[in-house]
Amino acid sequence: MAEKHQEDSPFFCAEENFIQDSYRSNPDRPVKILLSLYRGNYRNLFLSTFFYVMKHSAVWVLPIVTANIVNYVTGETEGVWSFIVKNAALILFLIVLNVPANYLHTRFKSLATRSVEAALRSALVRKIQQLSIPCHKDMQSGRLQSKVMRDVEAVETLSSQIFISLLNIVINIAVALSITIVKSRIVFSFFLLTIPMAAITIAFFRRPMKKRNRDFRQEMEATSAQVLEMLEMVPITRAHALEEKEITRMSRQLQSVAKEGYHLDIIQSTFGSVSWAVFQIFQVICLVFTASLALRHTVQAGDIILYQSYFATIVNQVSSIITLLPTITKGMESVSSIGEILNANDVEDNSGKKKLSSLEGRYDFEDVHFSYSSQKDILNGISFHVEPGETIAFVGKSGAGKSTLLNLVIGFLLPQKGRVLVDGQDLSTIHLPSYRKFLAVVPQNTVLSSGSIRDNITYGLQNVPEEKLMQTVKAANLSDMIHDLPDGLDTMIGSHGDKLSGGQKQRISIARALIREPRVILFDEATSALDSISEKAIQDALNNLIRGRTTFMVAHRLSTIRSADKIVVLHNGKCVEFGTWEELLAKKGFFYRLKVMQA
């Protein structure tokens, strides 16, 4: 249904996947990338240009009509009034034509630019979903948000300026020069002198403007990331009375943005001022030059108005190019900024891998090694076997590698040495999205959306029967909480579930996992935020629900894993003990000491 809605939308771009290919083919050529973005929209751009020419025809014809009328009046030609009426009628017709032509120009232009805007954001969202989990952890979410929103908006602005301002500039200059060369080649030659002056001015300012735009964009990204972090840290900041320090830290960053913005404003303003002065001087020279031609009867007196009007048009359009350059520079910088994401190679590649249609839940870890960056091995030769339906618990001190093992089971990480086998198949050869459909995860840090409780429990599912939903609510020990809320399951929980307690959020997260009826369940300290009464109630429910399903559990509180079939005891990246609760206690080894410490 969603796909059909996309295809029916006038802003759906069938060439969305082509965007990423364009970035890959032209990594350092933003102009070529920008042009390729409009593949599939060329018809709209052509129609927009056609109606643009129609809507501006009055502006181009007016100097000709004015010059002709002046020449007729000063020349005392017969039939002046008839000539004036005909010319006036022509101008009035073209003026009225501007209204429908402007609507059609804007319509087709906007369809093209907004389609590209939507496709760009869609391509970014798609790529963000494809990036590996380690890559996400290395990136600040605020920077990603800035690229999806601010940079794409800058590209859309650039596109609009190109198809409005730049198109206007090119057509106006072409019309002015075409009419001028027909009327007088001498004046035309004079007009051409403005081109090298424009080129020199642009070349002088281009490099410093590009640098200032890049510096400002990077500062804005850093600020966006810090603002997002500040918002997330508000409860901690307030709880520790660190408001003033946080204000000082953010003020320092905002001052850095203001400083870079100031430098950008100065270079852009100077650029505009210098270019304006240069071309105004040329306009005065043009007036004197054409007046001298009229005195020598090389041109008619009325033609002075025509040439002055067209030279003013050329000067203004060249000045507009210079004024437009900061927007173009900013837009091109944003095109390159978007490429930092679209050209990222750290993606989860599932192409050509085997898709799973079923999952038993048998796992084998064979001499698994893993480390982050240049750090020492987090996992160092881990080996164990899990039968379908067994519950496996990972215990150990903080940093022992428990969460890393869960990430290996999910496929977020792959071993750098050794293998993880799922039903006898190497996980690295499996199409991971098809595999993950059989998994349910309850993370250590509960992640909820700002919708309702119902939305969060049924996240990603459609048409969930009410009976099944209520069974899940009961199993997750949410019934009393739902009953006490004013809107029940449809109660809105605020941003990140801030209206709920930690235990309530964790239970919603458990319900979200359970409603999927997975073959494999992963709990990362899933009961850590619950009080002892709620913990026992949920533990009883979990013991019933995990029966027949392979379950991986991480817990610092050893009491929550007493019923586990096997326990993996980790220390310094190695499996130092492996067995049942009773077997490990009988050994009186590492696990026994952990138990004594928590007693």
Side-chain angles (χ1 to χ4, degrees):
M1 185 69 179
E3 291 179 0
K4 185 178 186 302
H5 174 72
Q6 270 192 319
E7 292 173 359
D8 290 343
S9 169
F11 302 108
F12 172 70
C13 181
E15 301 291 341
E16 176 192 320
N17 292 333
F18 181 73
I19 290 176
Q20 191 157 329
D21 294 336
S22 298
Y23 270 92
R24 286 175 179 168
S25 303
N26 308 284
D28 300 315
R29 302 167 73 181
V31 175
K32 192 168 184 179
I33 291 171
L34 184 66
L35 293 175
S36 68
L37 294 180
Y38 283 88
R39 175 175 167 177
N41 283 284
Y42 295 147
R43 175 180 174 274
N44 286 337
L45 293 180
F46 172 78
L47 291 172
S48 173
T49 303
F50 174 76
F51 288 112
Y52 182 88
V53 172
M54 289 183 62
K55 91 184 190 78
H56 273 76
S57 56
V59 176
W60 303 322
V61 173
L62 183 59
I64 299 175
V65 171
T66 305
N68 287 341
I69 290 175
V70 171
N71 289 334
Y72 263 72
V73 170
T74 56
E76 297 181 359
T77 309
E78 293 183 2
V80 171
W81 277 110
S82 175
F83 183 80
I84 292 174
V85 169
K86 289 179 181 178
N87 279 264
L90 173 62
I91 286 295
L92 287 174
F93 170 75
L94 294 177
I95 290 173
V96 172
L97 184 64
N98 175 275
V99 176
N102 178 69
Y103 166 78
L104 292 170
H105 157 68
T106 304
R107 180 179 186 276
F108 290 114
K109 183 270 300 179
S110 186
L111 280 173
T113 57
R114 293 299 179 182
S115 293
V116 170
E117 179 185 22
L120 257 180
R121 287 201 172 104
S122 182
L124 276 170
V125 168
R126 184 183 299 275
K127 188 57 180 280
I128 288 171
Q129 290 291 340
Q130 294 171 344
L131 291 175
S132 69
I133 296 300
C135 183
H136 273 282
K137 290 182 178 179
D138 291 337
M139 290 185 180
Q140 292 175 300
S141 55
R143 288 184 181 274
L144 292 176
Q145 183 185 54
S146 179
K147 291 180 188 295
V148 174
M149 301 307 297
R150 182 179 177 273
D151 284 333
V152 173
E153 184 66 26
V155 172
E156 191 278 329
T157 301
L158 170 64
S159 301
S160 294
Q161 290 297 330
I162 287 176
F163 297 121
I164 296 176
S165 300
L166 200 57
L167 180 64
N168 176 43
I169 290 166
V170 171
I171 294 177
N172 273 295
I173 290 177
V175 170
L177 290 177
S178 298
I179 295 175
T180 303
I181 196 172
V182 171
K183 296 283 289 184
S184 172
R185 293 190 177 183
I186 296 175
V187 178
F188 174 78
S189 300
F190 177 84
F191 282 8
L192 291 181
L193 292 176
T194 59
I195 296 176
M197 292 303 301
I200 292 171
T201 307
I202 291 172
F204 183 79
F205 283 96
R206 181 176 178 273
R207 184 171 294 177
M209 286 181 62
K210 182 178 180 181
K211 179 182 182 301
R212 291 300 180 189
N213 267 289
R214 182 177 62 251
D215 293 345
F216 183 69
R217 189 261 300 175
Q218 291 172 346
E219 282 294 334
M220 283 296 294
E221 285 184 359
T223 303
S224 179
Q226 290 192 31
V227 168
L228 199 60
E229 290 176 0
M230 179 197 72
L231 293 174
E232 293 174 347
M233 289 291 291
V234 164
I236 303 299
T237 303
R238 297 289 293 276
H240 294 85
L242 297 173
E243 295 95 334
E244 290 302 323
K245 287 190 177 180
E246 190 68 14
I247 291 169
T248 301
R249 183 180 73 87
M250 285 305 304
S251 295
R252 193 177 297 117
Q253 178 62 32
L254 294 173
Q255 288 170 9
S256 296
V257 174
K259 181 180 178 181
E260 292 299 335
Y262 168 78
H263 291 314
L264 180 61
D265 291 342
I266 291 297
I267 192 70
Q268 288 180 349
S269 176
T270 303
F271 182 48
S273 178
V274 169
S275 61
W276 181 85
V278 168
F279 292 114
Q280 291 305 312
I281 290 171
F282 263 83
Q283 191 163 352
V284 173
I285 295 173
C286 176
L287 178 60
V288 174
F289 178 68
T290 53
S292 66
L293 292 177
L295 287 173
R296 289 182 294 181
H297 302 291
T298 304
V299 299
Q300 293 179 289
D303 289 346
I304 296 177
I305 300 173
L306 183 146
Y307 294 134
Q308 189 65 16
S309 296
Y310 281 133
F311 188 77
T313 297
I314 293 173
V315 167
N316 290 334
Q317 300 313 311
V318 173
S319 297
S320 295
I321 292 177
I322 294 174
T323 304
L324 191 61
L325 191 60
T327 300
I328 294 176
T329 304
K330 179 182 177 181
M332 290 303 177
E333 177 62 27
S334 292
V335 171
S336 300
S337 175
I338 291 169
E340 293 175 6
I341 299 298
L342 294 182
N343 287 331
N345 294 319
D346 192 0
V347 298
E348 184 179 281
D349 185 9
N350 291 288
S351 57
K353 294 185 178 181
K354 181 180 179 181
K355 293 185 178 182
L356 297 185
S357 58
S358 63
L359 183 69
E360 293 182 24
R362 181 182 297 104
Y363 288 82
D364 289 282
F365 278 66
E366 297 181 347
D367 192 30
V368 170
H369 291 70
F370 185 85
S371 65
Y372 296 98
S373 302
S374 59
Q375 300 176 8
K376 67 177 184 178
D377 283 354
I378 297 296
L379 299 177
N380 187 0
I382 300 294
S383 297
F384 60 87
H385 173 74
V386 181
E387 283 293 330
E390 285 188 331
T391 296
I392 308 299
F394 301 131
V395 301
K397 294 181 179 179
S398 180
K402 302 183 296 297
S403 294
T404 301
L405 274 174
L406 284 191
N407 285 328
L408 285 166
V409 173
I410 300 171
F412 285 164
L413 305 174
L414 294 174
Q416 291 154 348
K417 181 182 177 183
R419 298 190 303 170
V420 176
L421 301 181
V422 180
D423 293 345
Q425 301 180 64
D426 192 331
L427 189 58
S428 64
T429 66
I430 294 174
H431 185 268
L432 291 175
S434 69
Y435 160 68
R436 291 178 185 138
K437 290 180 180 180
F438 299 100
L439 308 185
V441 182
V442 181
Q444 180 177 1
N445 299 315
T446 305
V447 180
L448 299 178
S449 69
S450 58
S452 67
I453 294 176
R454 183 191 300 274
D455 293 336
N456 277 277
I457 293 176
T458 61
Y459 174 71
L461 303 177
Q462 293 181 343
N463 304 319
V464 177
E466 194 71 14
E467 182 181 355
K468 180 180 179 180
L469 180 58
M470 296 313 297
Q471 289 175 349
T472 303
V473 166
K474 182 178 180 181
N477 197 28
L478 282 168
S479 299
D480 292 341
M481 184 192 90
I482 299 297
H483 181 268
D484 293 338
L485 293 173
D487 297 318
L489 281 169
D490 296 312
T491 300
M492 305 302 289
I493 62 175
S495 178
H496 305 299
D498 289 342
K499 294 181 180 180
L500 304 175
S501 69
Q504 290 171 332
K505 288 192 286 187
Q506 197 72 303
R507 280 176 275 172
I508 291 175
S509 181
I510 291 171
R512 181 171 60 197
L514 298 177
I515 202 170
R516 282 159 171 72
E517 298 183 350
R519 291 297 308 149
V520 177
I521 304 176
L522 300 99
F523 296 102
D524 191 352
E525 304 190 49
T527 60
S528 61
L530 303 177
D531 56 70
S532 57
I533 297 175
S534 296
E535 178 187 337
K536 184 180 184 306
I538 285 191
Q539 197 66 48
D540 291 341
L542 291 178
N543 288 337
N544 293 325
L545 288 163
I546 66 178
R547 189 173 295 130
R549 296 187 176 100
T550 305
T551 305
F552 294 92
M553 306 177 71
V554 168
H556 284 304
R557 294 158 66 171
L558 300 183
S559 60
T560 62
I561 60 168
R562 190 178 188 110
S563 60
D565 295 301
K566 295 173 183 175
I567 300 173
V568 177
V569 184
L570 298 168
H571 181 63
N572 290 335
K574 295 185 177 181
C575 177
V576 294
E577 292 178 354
F578 182 75
T580 65
W581 176 278
E582 290 77 12
E583 290 172 348
L584 295 179
L585 286 181
K587 288 182 180 180
K588 293 192 175 182
F590 195 88
F591 180 78
Y592 178 82
R593 290 193 293 273
L594 286 176
K595 180 70 173 64
V596 171
M597 289 172 61
Q598 289 193 9

mmCIF file with all atom_site columns, all heavy atoms in Angstrom, residues 407-422:
data_model
loop_
_atom_site.group_PDB
_atom_site.id
_atom_site.type_symbol
_atom_site.label_atom_id
_atom_site.label_alt_id
_atom_site.label_comp_id
_atom_site.label_asym_id
_atom_site.label_entity_id
_atom_site.label_seq_id
_atom_site.pdbx_PDB_ins_code
_atom_site.Cartn_x
_atom_site.Cartn_y
_atom_site.Cartn_z
_atom_site.occupancy
_atom_site.B_iso_or_equiv
_atom_site.pdbx_formal_charge
_atom_site.auth_seq_id
_atom_site.auth_comp_id
_atom_site.auth_asym_id
_atom_site.auth_atom_id
_atom_site.pdbx_PDB_model_num
ATOM 1   N N   . ASN A 1 407 ? 25.623 -8.803  19.919 1.00 0.00 ? 407 ASN A N   1
ATOM 2   C CA  . ASN A 1 407 ? 25.716 -8.150  18.612 1.00 0.00 ? 407 ASN A CA  1
ATOM 3   C C   . ASN A 1 407 ? 26.193 -9.116  17.531 1.00 0.00 ? 407 ASN A C   1
ATOM 4   O O   . ASN A 1 407 ? 25.821 -8.992  16.362 1.00 0.00 ? 407 ASN A O   1
ATOM 5   C CB  . ASN A 1 407 ? 26.646 -6.937  18.688 1.00 0.00 ? 407 ASN A CB  1
ATOM 6   C CG  . ASN A 1 407 ? 26.000 -5.756  19.382 1.00 0.00 ? 407 ASN A CG  1
ATOM 7   O OD1 . ASN A 1 407 ? 24.794 -5.564  19.304 1.00 0.00 ? 407 ASN A OD1 1
ATOM 8   N ND2 . ASN A 1 407 ? 26.799 -4.956  20.080 1.00 0.00 ? 407 ASN A ND2 1
ATOM 9   N N   . LEU A 1 408 ? 27.019 -10.069 17.912 1.00 0.00 ? 408 LEU A N   1
ATOM 10  C CA  . LEU A 1 408 ? 27.441 -11.103 16.963 1.00 0.00 ? 408 LEU A CA  1
ATOM 11  C C   . LEU A 1 408 ? 26.276 -12.034 16.622 1.00 0.00 ? 408 LEU A C   1
ATOM 12  O O   . LEU A 1 408 ? 26.127 -12.460 15.471 1.00 0.00 ? 408 LEU A O   1
ATOM 13  C CB  . LEU A 1 408 ? 28.597 -11.913 17.552 1.00 0.00 ? 408 LEU A CB  1
ATOM 14  C CG  . LEU A 1 408 ? 29.961 -11.214 17.567 1.00 0.00 ? 408 LEU A CG  1
ATOM 15  C CD1 . LEU A 1 408 ? 30.939 -11.960 18.460 1.00 0.00 ? 408 LEU A CD1 1
ATOM 16  C CD2 . LEU A 1 408 ? 30.524 -11.095 16.154 1.00 0.00 ? 408 LEU A CD2 1
ATOM 17  N N   . VAL A 1 409 ? 25.438 -12.351 17.604 1.00 0.00 ? 409 VAL A N   1
ATOM 18  C CA  . VAL A 1 409 ? 24.262 -13.197 17.353 1.00 0.00 ? 409 VAL A CA  1
ATOM 19  C C   . VAL A 1 409 ? 23.302 -12.488 16.401 1.00 0.00 ? 409 VAL A C   1
ATOM 20  O O   . VAL A 1 409 ? 22.765 -13.096 15.466 1.00 0.00 ? 409 VAL A O   1
ATOM 21  C CB  . VAL A 1 409 ? 23.544 -13.545 18.673 1.00 0.00 ? 409 VAL A CB  1
ATOM 22  C CG1 . VAL A 1 409 ? 22.234 -14.275 18.400 1.00 0.00 ? 409 VAL A CG1 1
ATOM 23  C CG2 . VAL A 1 409 ? 24.444 -14.409 19.558 1.00 0.00 ? 409 VAL A CG2 1
ATOM 24  N N   . ILE A 1 410 ? 23.096 -11.169 16.613 1.00 0.00 ? 410 ILE A N   1
ATOM 25  C CA  . ILE A 1 410 ? 22.187 -10.398 15.751 1.00 0.00 ? 410 ILE A CA  1
ATOM 26  C C   . ILE A 1 410 ? 22.769 -10.217 14.361 1.00 0.00 ? 410 ILE A C   1
ATOM 27  O O   . ILE A 1 410 ? 22.042 -10.101 13.371 1.00 0.00 ? 410 ILE A O   1
ATOM 28  C CB  . ILE A 1 410 ? 21.897 -9.019  16.380 1.00 0.00 ? 410 ILE A CB  1
ATOM 29  C CG1 . ILE A 1 410 ? 21.240 -9.185  17.760 1.00 0.00 ? 410 ILE A CG1 1
ATOM 30  C CG2 . ILE A 1 410 ? 20.983 -8.183  15.481 1.00 0.00 ? 410 ILE A CG2 1
ATOM 31  C CD1 . ILE A 1 410 ? 21.125 -7.889  18.537 1.00 0.00 ? 410 ILE A CD1 1
ATOM 32  N N   . GLY A 1 411 ? 24.093 -10.217 14.251 1.00 0.00 ? 411 GLY A N   1
ATOM 33  C CA  . GLY A 1 411 ? 24.745 -9.959  12.970 1.00 0.00 ? 411 GLY A CA  1
ATOM 34  C C   . GLY A 1 411 ? 25.148 -8.514  12.803 1.00 0.00 ? 411 GLY A C   1
ATOM 35  O O   . GLY A 1 411 ? 25.573 -8.104  11.714 1.00 0.00 ? 411 GLY A O   1
ATOM 36  N N   . PHE A 1 412 ? 25.018 -7.707  13.872 1.00 0.00 ? 412 PHE A N   1
ATOM 37  C CA  . PHE A 1 412 ? 25.500 -6.328  13.811 1.00 0.00 ? 412 PHE A CA  1
ATOM 38  C C   . PHE A 1 412 ? 27.018 -6.311  13.622 1.00 0.00 ? 412 PHE A C   1
ATOM 39  O O   . PHE A 1 412 ? 27.571 -5.426  12.974 1.00 0.00 ? 412 PHE A O   1
ATOM 40  C CB  . PHE A 1 412 ? 25.146 -5.571  15.086 1.00 0.00 ? 412 PHE A CB  1
ATOM 41  C CG  . PHE A 1 412 ? 23.692 -5.188  15.192 1.00 0.00 ? 412 PHE A CG  1
ATOM 42  C CD1 . PHE A 1 412 ? 23.149 -4.798  16.406 1.00 0.00 ? 412 PHE A CD1 1
ATOM 43  C CD2 . PHE A 1 412 ? 22.864 -5.207  14.085 1.00 0.00 ? 412 PHE A CD2 1
ATOM 44  C CE1 . PHE A 1 412 ? 21.816 -4.438  16.511 1.00 0.00 ? 412 PHE A CE1 1
ATOM 45  C CE2 . PHE A 1 412 ? 21.528 -4.856  14.177 1.00 0.00 ? 412 PHE A CE2 1
ATOM 46  C CZ  . PHE A 1 412 ? 21.006 -4.471  15.403 1.00 0.00 ? 412 PHE A CZ  1
ATOM 47  N N   . LEU A 1 413 ? 27.663 -7.287  14.214 1.00 0.00 ? 413 LEU A N   1
ATOM 48  C CA  . LEU A 1 413 ? 29.108 -7.448  14.094 1.00 0.00 ? 413 LEU A CA  1
ATOM 49  C C   . LEU A 1 413 ? 29.388 -8.833  13.526 1.00 0.00 ? 413 LEU A C   1
ATOM 50  O O   . LEU A 1 413 ? 28.593 -9.768  13.716 1.00 0.00 ? 413 LEU A O   1
ATOM 51  C CB  . LEU A 1 413 ? 29.795 -7.307  15.461 1.00 0.00 ? 413 LEU A CB  1
ATOM 52  C CG  . LEU A 1 413 ? 29.518 -6.037  16.258 1.00 0.00 ? 413 LEU A CG  1
ATOM 53  C CD1 . LEU A 1 413 ? 30.149 -6.133  17.643 1.00 0.00 ? 413 LEU A CD1 1
ATOM 54  C CD2 . LEU A 1 413 ? 30.031 -4.810  15.524 1.00 0.00 ? 413 LEU A CD2 1
ATOM 55  N N   . LEU A 1 414 ? 30.507 -8.996  12.846 1.00 0.00 ? 414 LEU A N   1
ATOM 56  C CA  . LEU A 1 414 ? 30.943 -10.292 12.340 1.00 0.00 ? 414 LEU A CA  1
ATOM 57  C C   . LEU A 1 414 ? 32.330 -10.592 12.893 1.00 0.00 ? 414 LEU A C   1
ATOM 58  O O   . LEU A 1 414 ? 33.144 -9.672  13.072 1.00 0.00 ? 414 LEU A O   1
ATOM 59  C CB  . LEU A 1 414 ? 30.971 -10.296 10.811 1.00 0.00 ? 414 LEU A CB  1
ATOM 60  C CG  . LEU A 1 414 ? 29.606 -10.161 10.108 1.00 0.00 ? 414 LEU A CG  1
ATOM 61  C CD1 . LEU A 1 414 ? 29.794 -10.039 8.602  1.00 0.00 ? 414 LEU A CD1 1
ATOM 62  C CD2 . LEU A 1 414 ? 28.694 -11.347 10.440 1.00 0.00 ? 414 LEU A CD2 1
ATOM 63  N N   . PRO A 1 415 ? 32.618 -11.845 13.182 1.00 0.00 ? 415 PRO A N   1
ATOM 64  C CA  . PRO A 1 415 ? 33.925 -12.173 13.769 1.00 0.00 ? 415 PRO A CA  1
ATOM 65  C C   . PRO A 1 415 ? 35.065 -11.773 12.845 1.00 0.00 ? 415 PRO A C   1
ATOM 66  O O   . PRO A 1 415 ? 34.961 -11.889 11.620 1.00 0.00 ? 415 PRO A O   1
ATOM 67  C CB  . PRO A 1 415 ? 33.859 -13.697 13.935 1.00 0.00 ? 415 PRO A CB  1
ATOM 68  C CG  . PRO A 1 415 ? 32.412 -14.048 13.877 1.00 0.00 ? 415 PRO A CG  1
ATOM 69  C CD  . PRO A 1 415 ? 31.770 -13.031 12.998 1.00 0.00 ? 415 PRO A CD  1
ATOM 70  N N   . GLN A 1 416 ? 36.155 -11.312 13.446 1.00 0.00 ? 416 GLN A N   1
ATOM 71  C CA  . GLN A 1 416 ? 37.351 -11.026 12.655 1.00 0.00 ? 416 GLN A CA  1
ATOM 72  C C   . GLN A 1 416 ? 38.194 -12.280 12.473 1.00 0.00 ? 416 GLN A C   1
ATOM 73  O O   . GLN A 1 416 ? 39.059 -12.345 11.618 1.00 0.00 ? 416 GLN A O   1
ATOM 74  C CB  . GLN A 1 416 ? 38.159 -9.916  13.353 1.00 0.00 ? 416 GLN A CB  1
ATOM 75  C CG  . GLN A 1 416 ? 37.420 -8.582  13.281 1.00 0.00 ? 416 GLN A CG  1
ATOM 76  C CD  . GLN A 1 416 ? 37.801 -7.637  14.411 1.00 0.00 ? 416 GLN A CD  1
ATOM 77  O OE1 . GLN A 1 416 ? 38.435 -8.030  15.371 1.00 0.00 ? 416 GLN A OE1 1
ATOM 78  N NE2 . GLN A 1 416 ? 37.397 -6.381  14.288 1.00 0.00 ? 416 GLN A NE2 1
ATOM 79  N N   . LYS A 1 417 ? 37.894 -13.258 13.321 1.00 0.00 ? 417 LYS A N   1
ATOM 80  C CA  . LYS A 1 417 ? 38.504 -14.579 13.198 1.00 0.00 ? 417 LYS A CA  1
ATOM 81  C C   . LYS A 1 417 ? 37.528 -15.581 13.792 1.00 0.00 ? 417 LYS A C   1
ATOM 82  O O   . LYS A 1 417 ? 36.845 -15.292 14.761 1.00 0.00 ? 417 LYS A O   1
ATOM 83  C CB  . LYS A 1 417 ? 39.844 -14.625 13.941 1.00 0.00 ? 417 LYS A CB  1
ATOM 84  C CG  . LYS A 1 417 ? 40.558 -15.969 13.848 1.00 0.00 ? 417 LYS A CG  1
ATOM 85  C CD  . LYS A 1 417 ? 41.847 -15.948 14.654 1.00 0.00 ? 417 LYS A CD  1
ATOM 86  C CE  . LYS A 1 417 ? 42.514 -17.331 14.616 1.00 0.00 ? 417 LYS A CE  1
ATOM 87  N NZ  . LYS A 1 417 ? 43.742 -17.355 15.456 1.00 0.00 ? 417 LYS A NZ  1
ATOM 88  N N   . GLY A 1 418 ? 37.461 -16.768 13.230 1.00 0.00 ? 418 GLY A N   1
ATOM 89  C CA  . GLY A 1 418 ? 36.491 -17.750 13.698 1.00 0.00 ? 418 GLY A CA  1
ATOM 90  C C   . GLY A 1 418 ? 35.159 -17.600 12.989 1.00 0.00 ? 418 GLY A C   1
ATOM 91  O O   . GLY A 1 418 ? 35.004 -16.799 12.055 1.00 0.00 ? 418 GLY A O   1
ATOM 92  N N   . ARG A 1 419 ? 34.157 -18.369 13.456 1.00 0.00 ? 419 ARG A N   1
ATOM 93  C CA  . ARG A 1 419 ? 32.852 -18.367 12.797 1.00 0.00 ? 419 ARG A CA  1
ATOM 94  C C   . ARG A 1 419 ? 31.720 -18.407 13.816 1.00 0.00 ? 419 ARG A C   1
ATOM 95  O O   . ARG A 1 419 ? 31.862 -18.962 14.903 1.00 0.00 ? 419 ARG A O   1
ATOM 96  C CB  . ARG A 1 419 ? 32.706 -19.577 11.871 1.00 0.00 ? 419 ARG A CB  1
ATOM 97  C CG  . ARG A 1 419 ? 33.686 -19.640 10.728 1.00 0.00 ? 419 ARG A CG  1
ATOM 98  C CD  . ARG A 1 419 ? 33.300 -20.745 9.746  1.00 0.00 ? 419 ARG A CD  1
ATOM 99  N NE  . ARG A 1 419 ? 33.207 -22.064 10.372 1.00 0.00 ? 419 ARG A NE  1
ATOM 100 C CZ  . ARG A 1 419 ? 32.702 -23.149 9.771  1.00 0.00 ? 419 ARG A CZ  1
ATOM 101 N NH1 . ARG A 1 419 ? 32.248 -23.077 8.522  1.00 0.00 ? 419 ARG A NH1 1
ATOM 102 N NH2 . ARG A 1 419 ? 32.663 -24.317 10.404 1.00 0.00 ? 419 ARG A NH2 1
ATOM 103 N N   . VAL A 1 420 ? 30.578 -17.810 13.408 1.00 0.00 ? 420 VAL A N   1
ATOM 104 C CA  . VAL A 1 420 ? 29.323 -17.991 14.123 1.00 0.00 ? 420 VAL A CA  1
ATOM 105 C C   . VAL A 1 420 ? 28.404 -18.746 13.175 1.00 0.00 ? 420 VAL A C   1
ATOM 106 O O   . VAL A 1 420 ? 28.066 -18.242 12.097 1.00 0.00 ? 420 VAL A O   1
ATOM 107 C CB  . VAL A 1 420 ? 28.695 -16.648 14.535 1.00 0.00 ? 420 VAL A CB  1
ATOM 108 C CG1 . VAL A 1 420 ? 27.333 -16.893 15.190 1.00 0.00 ? 420 VAL A CG1 1
ATOM 109 C CG2 . VAL A 1 420 ? 29.601 -15.882 15.477 1.00 0.00 ? 420 VAL A CG2 1
ATOM 110 N N   . LEU A 1 421 ? 28.015 -19.959 13.565 1.00 0.00 ? 421 LEU A N   1
ATOM 111 C CA  . LEU A 1 421 ? 27.160 -20.788 12.728 1.00 0.00 ? 421 LEU A CA  1
ATOM 112 C C   . LEU A 1 421 ? 25.724 -20.736 13.244 1.00 0.00 ? 421 LEU A C   1
ATOM 113 O O   . LEU A 1 421 ? 25.477 -20.848 14.445 1.00 0.00 ? 421 LEU A O   1
ATOM 114 C CB  . LEU A 1 421 ? 27.640 -22.232 12.720 1.00 0.00 ? 421 LEU A CB  1
ATOM 115 C CG  . LEU A 1 421 ? 29.070 -22.488 12.229 1.00 0.00 ? 421 LEU A CG  1
ATOM 116 C CD1 . LEU A 1 421 ? 29.384 -23.974 12.272 1.00 0.00 ? 421 LEU A CD1 1
ATOM 117 C CD2 . LEU A 1 421 ? 29.266 -21.945 10.822 1.00 0.00 ? 421 LEU A CD2 1
ATOM 118 N N   . VAL A 1 422 ? 24.776 -20.558 12.317 1.00 0.00 ? 422 VAL A N   1
ATOM 119 C CA  . VAL A 1 422 ? 23.349 -20.561 12.640 1.00 0.00 ? 422 VAL A CA  1
ATOM 120 C C   . VAL A 1 422 ? 22.710 -21.710 11.870 1.00 0.00 ? 422 VAL A C   1
ATOM 121 O O   . VAL A 1 422 ? 22.730 -21.715 10.625 1.00 0.00 ? 422 VAL A O   1
ATOM 122 C CB  . VAL A 1 422 ? 22.681 -19.223 12.251 1.00 0.00 ? 422 VAL A CB  1
ATOM 123 C CG1 . VAL A 1 422 ? 21.204 -19.258 12.600 1.00 0.00 ? 422 VAL A CG1 1
ATOM 124 C CG2 . VAL A 1 422 ? 23.364 -18.062 12.951 1.00 0.00 ? 422 VAL A CG2 1
#
